[in-house]
Each structure stands twice: as structure tokens, then as C-alpha cells.
Amino acid sequence: MERERDVSLLPKAHLHLHFTGSMRPTTLLELADKHGVHLPEALTGGEPPKLRATDERGWFRFQRLYDMARSCLRDPEDIQRLVREAAEEDIRDGSGWLEIQVDPTSYAPRLGGLIPALEIILDAVDTASRETGLGMRVLVAANRMKHPLDARTLARLAVRYADRGIVGFGLSNDERRGMARDFDRAFAIAREGGLLAAPHGGELTGPASVRDCLDDLRASRIGHGVRAAEDPRLLRKLAQRGVTCEVCPASNVALGVYEKPEDVPLRTLYDAGVPMALGADDPLLFGSRLAAQYELARRHHAFTDQELAELARQSVRGSAAPEDIRQKLLAGIDDWLESPPA
Ligand SMILES: [Zn+2]
């Protein structure tokens, strides 16, 4: 067998990680205990739950589990702990830059309202970043199951707090609901305020949803975007524009978007020149973190160390990291390639 370098030592940027979904399973159990929350067996079994989101019922079940986990985050200390542990896990996996995605609306009821919730989250990110040394920023994500006016409110808020560590605006939840263009005003507000547009698309629905993100929301990054692989013209467009797809292969398999790891079209996107940033999405529910996504590319798609390094470079280039951090990470990637394989 060929000797390989340790992917957890490969410097990379992590651009697709949801807030509650980043939680350690053991932390979830402790917080549930602390607050007297009774968790369903699917969350306490020590194994990631069996999920299937290719129909609305399956997606609903996934969301319900997510909501249950989120309900265990009740006070500022819980938020601080979650963020610090997300940073620690990322560092262990070789991440040198983390953009964490959150809809503060979901935390508002327990944290004293939307603005207090956002401030607690941003403070926690700032503290964790200083204490761990990991560069961290926030993407505020609107929920497409809610009214577009809610998304506009969030976009305005995100712009107002841009200097407190918000770099982007997203749109999450079931792609089958509503149209991307319903959220075009919210995205215009975010873009005009200097935030990058990074909506989810091309996960639960096909290439058309990615096209909508590009045309209607002027996305500069796409959450997932994998199903663009079904449309060669769209792939060319993504490559030409340099739109980074935040591809989360383990999530895709866990949710049944693809049957097996080898079915995730990593090669198709890579060969088409579409920049990718591999991400873990919701490690709490899918059972694997950042380095495991690179390992999956190696094991199931035969990515060489050169190619894994190129994927890591793409993640750094697609990030909102400042120039000095980008240079440091890119130099670290070169060093990784020059290090002897284990
Ligand atoms: Zn996501």
C-alpha cells in the first residue's frame, strides 16, 4: 500500500458547519441532563441516527432531531461551550479557519430575544477564537421555511453586526419549499452590506436549485451544490465564475442524497474545475467531522495527496479569511505536501 500523509495535519478552511450540528454527542448528553431534557433514543444511542431526507417526512424527522438537540442550548454558558468545542474539534482536524453557520432566530426565545442571542453567539465566537487561536467567523443563515420578510430582518441585522465577525449570509432548510427568488431582497441587502452570499442549493433538489442560487441570489458560494454534477453546462458556469461549492459528502450519504460515499460526485466537480470546500455540515447527526471528509475523498475517490492538497487550497481560497491567514494556510499546505508520508 502506498504511504499517505495524515489528512488531519493538512491545513484547510471549514466553510460548512451548522451551529447546533457541530456539537459533540457527549456534550449533548450532558446539556440534556443539565436542563432535564428528555432526548429521543436516536440521539442517545452513541451511534449517528438513521436518517433519510430524500422525502419530506424524512427531512422533517431530521429537523425534529436537530430542534431537539438545539433545545438543550439554553444559556450563554452552553453557547460558549458549544463554540469552544467546535473550535477544538476543528483544530484537531487541521482546520485553520472556521466559518460557522447560525440562524439566531432559533436561539432567541431562550436567550432573551434576537439581538441578545446574536450578541451572545458573536461574543462566544470571539472568545473561542482568541482562546484557541483558530480564526473563526459567522454566517447568518435565514430559514427558507419562514417568511421572506424574516430573512430581510436577519440580513439587516447581519449587516449591522458585520464588524463583529459576520462574513456571510445563507439560506437553509428544505430546498423543496418556496423559491430562492422569494429571498432575493434579503440577499441583496446582505450583498450590498458587504457580506458574501452562500445559500444552500443542489442538495435535496437538482441543478435548477443551484442555478436559482446563482441567478436570483447571486451566490458567490453554494451550500452543497453537489447536484450541479448532473448538468455539465452548470458545472462550466460554476467553474468559470469560481463559485465554491461547500460539499459535505458524509452528510449527503447520511441523508440519502447519495447511496454510498463513492456515489458523491466529487470527481465530477473536481475534474470540471469547480472549486470545493469540503465540510462536515452536522457532525452531531452525521457522525463525522472535517478531516473525515478528506479521508472519504481519498478512500472512495482515490484522491492523491496532491489532489487533497488542492482541495484544501480551494477551501482556503473560497473562505472569507483575511490575506495573512490565507497565505499562512496555503504555505502550510505546501509544507504538508513536502513532508514525508507516514
Ligand atoms: Zn448545511
Side-chain angles (χ1 to χ4, degrees), residues 202-208 211 225-235 257-258 265 268-269:
E203 176 196 16
L204 304 171
T205 54
R211 236 177 276 118
V226 263
R227 295 193 52 196
E230 295 159 31
D231 181 345
R233 272 186 55 202
L234 179 58
L235 286 174
V257 174
Y258 298 103
T268 310
L269 270 79

PDB file of all heavy atoms in Angstrom, residues 202-208 211 225-235 257-258 265 268-269:
ATOM      1  N   GLY A 202     -28.880  22.625  -4.498  1.00  0.00           N
ATOM      2  CA  GLY A 202     -28.302  21.444  -5.143  1.00  0.00           C
ATOM      3  C   GLY A 202     -27.965  20.321  -4.188  1.00  0.00           C
ATOM      4  O   GLY A 202     -27.003  19.593  -4.388  1.00  0.00           O
ATOM      5  N   GLU A 203     -28.786  20.199  -3.131  1.00  0.00           N
ATOM      6  CA  GLU A 203     -28.610  19.075  -2.205  1.00  0.00           C
ATOM      7  C   GLU A 203     -29.841  18.169  -2.331  1.00  0.00           C
ATOM      8  O   GLU A 203     -29.759  17.060  -2.808  1.00  0.00           O
ATOM      9  CB  GLU A 203     -28.468  19.583  -0.763  1.00  0.00           C
ATOM     10  CG  GLU A 203     -28.369  18.459   0.268  1.00  0.00           C
ATOM     11  CD  GLU A 203     -28.608  18.941   1.701  1.00  0.00           C
ATOM     12  OE1 GLU A 203     -29.140  20.037   1.903  1.00  0.00           O
ATOM     13  OE2 GLU A 203     -28.277  18.176   2.631  1.00  0.00           O
ATOM     14  N   LEU A 204     -30.985  18.706  -1.927  1.00  0.00           N
ATOM     15  CA  LEU A 204     -32.213  17.914  -1.957  1.00  0.00           C
ATOM     16  C   LEU A 204     -32.898  18.018  -3.307  1.00  0.00           C
ATOM     17  O   LEU A 204     -33.710  17.181  -3.682  1.00  0.00           O
ATOM     18  CB  LEU A 204     -33.165  18.386  -0.850  1.00  0.00           C
ATOM     19  CG  LEU A 204     -32.555  18.348   0.557  1.00  0.00           C
ATOM     20  CD1 LEU A 204     -33.475  19.028   1.548  1.00  0.00           C
ATOM     21  CD2 LEU A 204     -32.270  16.914   0.983  1.00  0.00           C
ATOM     22  N   THR A 205     -32.575  19.081  -4.050  1.00  0.00           N
ATOM     23  CA  THR A 205     -33.125  19.218  -5.394  1.00  0.00           C
ATOM     24  C   THR A 205     -31.980  19.396  -6.391  1.00  0.00           C
ATOM     25  O   THR A 205     -30.844  19.643  -5.999  1.00  0.00           O
ATOM     26  CB  THR A 205     -34.096  20.414  -5.491  1.00  0.00           C
ATOM     27  OG1 THR A 205     -33.421  21.571  -5.024  1.00  0.00           O
ATOM     28  CG2 THR A 205     -35.326  20.197  -4.616  1.00  0.00           C
ATOM     29  N   GLY A 206     -32.316  19.311  -7.653  1.00  0.00           N
ATOM     30  CA  GLY A 206     -31.309  19.192  -8.696  1.00  0.00           C
ATOM     31  C   GLY A 206     -30.645  20.487  -9.113  1.00  0.00           C
ATOM     32  O   GLY A 206     -30.705  21.493  -8.399  1.00  0.00           O
ATOM     33  N   PRO A 207     -30.015  20.450 -10.311  1.00  0.00           N
ATOM     34  CA  PRO A 207     -29.237  21.594 -10.809  1.00  0.00           C
ATOM     35  C   PRO A 207     -30.025  22.911 -10.848  1.00  0.00           C
ATOM     36  O   PRO A 207     -29.438  23.977 -10.649  1.00  0.00           O
ATOM     37  CB  PRO A 207     -28.857  21.178 -12.231  1.00  0.00           C
ATOM     38  CG  PRO A 207     -28.969  19.702 -12.252  1.00  0.00           C
ATOM     39  CD  PRO A 207     -29.993  19.313 -11.248  1.00  0.00           C
ATOM     40  N   ALA A 208     -31.352  22.835 -11.061  1.00  0.00           N
ATOM     41  CA  ALA A 208     -32.127  24.072 -11.162  1.00  0.00           C
ATOM     42  C   ALA A 208     -32.000  24.913  -9.890  1.00  0.00           C
ATOM     43  O   ALA A 208     -31.964  26.140  -9.946  1.00  0.00           O
ATOM     44  CB  ALA A 208     -33.598  23.753 -11.434  1.00  0.00           C
ATOM     45  N   ARG A 211     -28.831  26.813 -10.024  1.00  0.00           N
ATOM     46  CA  ARG A 211     -28.965  27.922 -10.977  1.00  0.00           C
ATOM     47  C   ARG A 211     -29.732  29.086 -10.346  1.00  0.00           C
ATOM     48  O   ARG A 211     -29.367  30.245 -10.502  1.00  0.00           O
ATOM     49  CB  ARG A 211     -29.650  27.433 -12.254  1.00  0.00           C
ATOM     50  CG  ARG A 211     -28.809  27.721 -13.504  1.00  0.00           C
ATOM     51  CD  ARG A 211     -29.447  27.185 -14.770  1.00  0.00           C
ATOM     52  NE  ARG A 211     -29.139  25.784 -14.972  1.00  0.00           N
ATOM     53  CZ  ARG A 211     -30.034  24.799 -15.015  1.00  0.00           C
ATOM     54  NH1 ARG A 211     -31.319  25.039 -14.841  1.00  0.00           N
ATOM     55  NH2 ARG A 211     -29.652  23.565 -15.210  1.00  0.00           N
ATOM     56  N   GLY A 225     -24.426  22.095  -3.317  1.00  0.00           N
ATOM     57  CA  GLY A 225     -24.209  22.301  -4.750  1.00  0.00           C
ATOM     58  C   GLY A 225     -23.827  21.049  -5.518  1.00  0.00           C
ATOM     59  O   GLY A 225     -23.641  21.095  -6.729  1.00  0.00           O
ATOM     60  N   VAL A 226     -23.722  19.916  -4.818  1.00  0.00           N
ATOM     61  CA  VAL A 226     -23.226  18.690  -5.477  1.00  0.00           C
ATOM     62  C   VAL A 226     -24.034  18.266  -6.687  1.00  0.00           C
ATOM     63  O   VAL A 226     -23.481  17.711  -7.638  1.00  0.00           O
ATOM     64  CB  VAL A 226     -23.193  17.462  -4.526  1.00  0.00           C
ATOM     65  CG1 VAL A 226     -21.834  17.265  -3.940  1.00  0.00           C
ATOM     66  CG2 VAL A 226     -24.295  17.502  -3.494  1.00  0.00           C
ATOM     67  N   ARG A 227     -25.336  18.533  -6.626  1.00  0.00           N
ATOM     68  CA  ARG A 227     -26.161  18.015  -7.724  1.00  0.00           C
ATOM     69  C   ARG A 227     -26.025  18.842  -9.000  1.00  0.00           C
ATOM     70  O   ARG A 227     -26.606  18.494 -10.041  1.00  0.00           O
ATOM     71  CB  ARG A 227     -27.602  17.848  -7.254  1.00  0.00           C
ATOM     72  CG  ARG A 227     -27.643  16.750  -6.162  1.00  0.00           C
ATOM     73  CD  ARG A 227     -29.011  16.277  -5.854  1.00  0.00           C
ATOM     74  NE  ARG A 227     -29.755  15.882  -7.031  1.00  0.00           N
ATOM     75  CZ  ARG A 227     -31.078  15.723  -7.040  1.00  0.00           C
ATOM     76  NH1 ARG A 227     -31.762  15.932  -5.935  1.00  0.00           N
ATOM     77  NH2 ARG A 227     -31.690  15.363  -8.137  1.00  0.00           N
ATOM     78  N   ALA A 228     -25.192  19.861  -8.953  1.00  0.00           N
ATOM     79  CA  ALA A 228     -24.776  20.537 -10.188  1.00  0.00           C
ATOM     80  C   ALA A 228     -24.079  19.546 -11.112  1.00  0.00           C
ATOM     81  O   ALA A 228     -24.032  19.739 -12.334  1.00  0.00           O
ATOM     82  CB  ALA A 228     -23.843  21.699  -9.860  1.00  0.00           C
ATOM     83  N   ALA A 229     -23.575  18.468 -10.516  1.00  0.00           N
ATOM     84  CA  ALA A 229     -22.871  17.445 -11.300  1.00  0.00           C
ATOM     85  C   ALA A 229     -23.751  16.858 -12.397  1.00  0.00           C
ATOM     86  O   ALA A 229     -23.254  16.276 -13.366  1.00  0.00           O
ATOM     87  CB  ALA A 229     -22.375  16.337 -10.376  1.00  0.00           C
ATOM     88  N   GLU A 230     -25.072  17.009 -12.248  1.00  0.00           N
ATOM     89  CA  GLU A 230     -25.994  16.446 -13.246  1.00  0.00           C
ATOM     90  C   GLU A 230     -26.107  17.319 -14.494  1.00  0.00           C
ATOM     91  O   GLU A 230     -26.794  16.949 -15.445  1.00  0.00           O
ATOM     92  CB  GLU A 230     -27.386  16.288 -12.592  1.00  0.00           C
ATOM     93  CG  GLU A 230     -27.379  15.272 -11.450  1.00  0.00           C
ATOM     94  CD  GLU A 230     -28.557  15.450 -10.483  1.00  0.00           C
ATOM     95  OE1 GLU A 230     -29.641  15.886 -10.930  1.00  0.00           O
ATOM     96  OE2 GLU A 230     -28.400  15.147  -9.284  1.00  0.00           O
ATOM     97  N   ASP A 231     -25.453  18.477 -14.484  1.00  0.00           N
ATOM     98  CA  ASP A 231     -25.597  19.422 -15.589  1.00  0.00           C
ATOM     99  C   ASP A 231     -24.241  20.021 -15.994  1.00  0.00           C
ATOM    100  O   ASP A 231     -23.747  20.943 -15.356  1.00  0.00           O
ATOM    101  CB  ASP A 231     -26.567  20.531 -15.154  1.00  0.00           C
ATOM    102  CG  ASP A 231     -26.812  21.563 -16.247  1.00  0.00           C
ATOM    103  OD1 ASP A 231     -26.036  21.596 -17.228  1.00  0.00           O
ATOM    104  OD2 ASP A 231     -27.768  22.342 -16.101  1.00  0.00           O
ATOM    105  N   PRO A 232     -23.653  19.483 -17.068  1.00  0.00           N
ATOM    106  CA  PRO A 232     -22.309  19.931 -17.475  1.00  0.00           C
ATOM    107  C   PRO A 232     -22.218  21.439 -17.743  1.00  0.00           C
ATOM    108  O   PRO A 232     -21.184  22.051 -17.451  1.00  0.00           O
ATOM    109  CB  PRO A 232     -22.042  19.139 -18.762  1.00  0.00           C
ATOM    110  CG  PRO A 232     -22.985  17.977 -18.707  1.00  0.00           C
ATOM    111  CD  PRO A 232     -24.179  18.417 -17.920  1.00  0.00           C
ATOM    112  N   ARG A 233     -23.289  22.019 -18.279  1.00  0.00           N
ATOM    113  CA  ARG A 233     -23.237  23.470 -18.544  1.00  0.00           C
ATOM    114  C   ARG A 233     -23.148  24.264 -17.258  1.00  0.00           C
ATOM    115  O   ARG A 233     -22.445  25.266 -17.161  1.00  0.00           O
ATOM    116  CB  ARG A 233     -24.476  23.915 -19.330  1.00  0.00           C
ATOM    117  CG  ARG A 233     -24.264  23.779 -20.826  1.00  0.00           C
ATOM    118  CD  ARG A 233     -25.430  24.364 -21.607  1.00  0.00           C
ATOM    119  NE  ARG A 233     -25.717  25.755 -21.255  1.00  0.00           N
ATOM    120  CZ  ARG A 233     -26.898  26.341 -21.465  1.00  0.00           C
ATOM    121  NH1 ARG A 233     -27.882  25.660 -22.003  1.00  0.00           N
ATOM    122  NH2 ARG A 233     -27.075  27.606 -21.150  1.00  0.00           N
ATOM    123  N   LEU A 234     -23.907  23.800 -16.268  1.00  0.00           N
ATOM    124  CA  LEU A 234     -23.881  24.458 -14.968  1.00  0.00           C
ATOM    125  C   LEU A 234     -22.503  24.306 -14.315  1.00  0.00           C
ATOM    126  O   LEU A 234     -21.977  25.253 -13.713  1.00  0.00           O
ATOM    127  CB  LEU A 234     -24.965  23.864 -14.062  1.00  0.00           C
ATOM    128  CG  LEU A 234     -25.072  24.408 -12.640  1.00  0.00           C
ATOM    129  CD1 LEU A 234     -25.321  25.918 -12.632  1.00  0.00           C
ATOM    130  CD2 LEU A 234     -26.180  23.686 -11.875  1.00  0.00           C
ATOM    131  N   LEU A 235     -21.912  23.139 -14.479  1.00  0.00           N
ATOM    132  CA  LEU A 235     -20.571  22.928 -13.932  1.00  0.00           C
ATOM    133  C   LEU A 235     -19.587  23.925 -14.545  1.00  0.00           C
ATOM    134  O   LEU A 235     -18.757  24.505 -13.848  1.00  0.00           O
ATOM    135  CB  LEU A 235     -20.095  21.492 -14.203  1.00  0.00           C
ATOM    136  CG  LEU A 235     -20.733  20.391 -13.359  1.00  0.00           C
ATOM    137  CD1 LEU A 235     -20.258  19.028 -13.843  1.00  0.00           C
ATOM    138  CD2 LEU A 235     -20.417  20.571 -11.874  1.00  0.00           C
ATOM    139  N   VAL A 257     -28.952  11.481   0.026  1.00  0.00           N
ATOM    140  CA  VAL A 257     -28.847  12.200  -1.246  1.00  0.00           C
ATOM    141  C   VAL A 257     -28.097  11.305  -2.238  1.00  0.00           C
ATOM    142  O   VAL A 257     -28.427  11.245  -3.423  1.00  0.00           O
ATOM    143  CB  VAL A 257     -28.113  13.547  -1.058  1.00  0.00           C
ATOM    144  CG1 VAL A 257     -27.878  14.235  -2.388  1.00  0.00           C
ATOM    145  CG2 VAL A 257     -28.903  14.445  -0.101  1.00  0.00           C
ATOM    146  N   TYR A 258     -27.088  10.589  -1.713  1.00  0.00           N
ATOM    147  CA  TYR A 258     -26.411   9.544  -2.469  1.00  0.00           C
ATOM    148  C   TYR A 258     -26.376   8.290  -1.609  1.00  0.00           C
ATOM    149  O   TYR A 258     -26.308   8.369  -0.380  1.00  0.00           O
ATOM    150  CB  TYR A 258     -24.981   9.968  -2.844  1.00  0.00           C
ATOM    151  CG  TYR A 258     -24.973  11.193  -3.737  1.00  0.00           C
ATOM    152  CD1 TYR A 258     -24.654  12.444  -3.212  1.00  0.00           C
ATOM    153  CD2 TYR A 258     -25.324  11.102  -5.078  1.00  0.00           C
ATOM    154  CE1 TYR A 258     -24.670  13.576  -4.024  1.00  0.00           C
ATOM    155  CE2 TYR A 258     -25.348  12.227  -5.890  1.00  0.00           C
ATOM    156  CZ  TYR A 258     -25.018  13.456  -5.361  1.00  0.00           C
ATOM    157  OH  TYR A 258     -25.044  14.575  -6.149  1.00  0.00           O
ATOM    158  N   PRO A 265     -20.519  12.884  -6.245  1.00  0.00           N
ATOM    159  CA  PRO A 265     -19.746  13.179  -7.472  1.00  0.00           C
ATOM    160  C   PRO A 265     -18.541  14.105  -7.252  1.00  0.00           C
ATOM    161  O   PRO A 265     -18.382  15.107  -7.948  1.00  0.00           O
ATOM    162  CB  PRO A 265     -20.793  13.821  -8.385  1.00  0.00           C
ATOM    163  CG  PRO A 265     -21.756  14.452  -7.453  1.00  0.00           C
ATOM    164  CD  PRO A 265     -21.814  13.590  -6.235  1.00  0.00           C
ATOM    165  N   THR A 268     -16.415  14.389 -10.413  1.00  0.00           N
ATOM    166  CA  THR A 268     -17.061  15.156 -11.485  1.00  0.00           C
ATOM    167  C   THR A 268     -16.845  16.653 -11.253  1.00  0.00           C
ATOM    168  O   THR A 268     -16.484  17.389 -12.174  1.00  0.00           O
ATOM    169  CB  THR A 268     -18.571  14.842 -11.518  1.00  0.00           C
ATOM    170  OG1 THR A 268     -18.727  13.426 -11.524  1.00  0.00           O
ATOM    171  CG2 THR A 268     -19.237  15.433 -12.739  1.00  0.00           C
ATOM    172  N   LEU A 269     -17.077  17.100 -10.028  1.00  0.00           N
ATOM    173  CA  LEU A 269     -16.895  18.519  -9.737  1.00  0.00           C
ATOM    174  C   LEU A 269     -15.418  18.916  -9.855  1.00  0.00           C
ATOM    175  O   LEU A 269     -15.087  19.948 -10.425  1.00  0.00           O
ATOM    176  CB  LEU A 269     -17.424  18.851  -8.326  1.00  0.00           C
ATOM    177  CG  LEU A 269     -18.900  19.257  -8.277  1.00  0.00           C
ATOM    178  CD1 LEU A 269     -19.820  18.057  -8.341  1.00  0.00           C
ATOM    179  CD2 LEU A 269     -19.222  20.067  -7.035  1.00  0.00           C
TER     180      LEU A 269
END
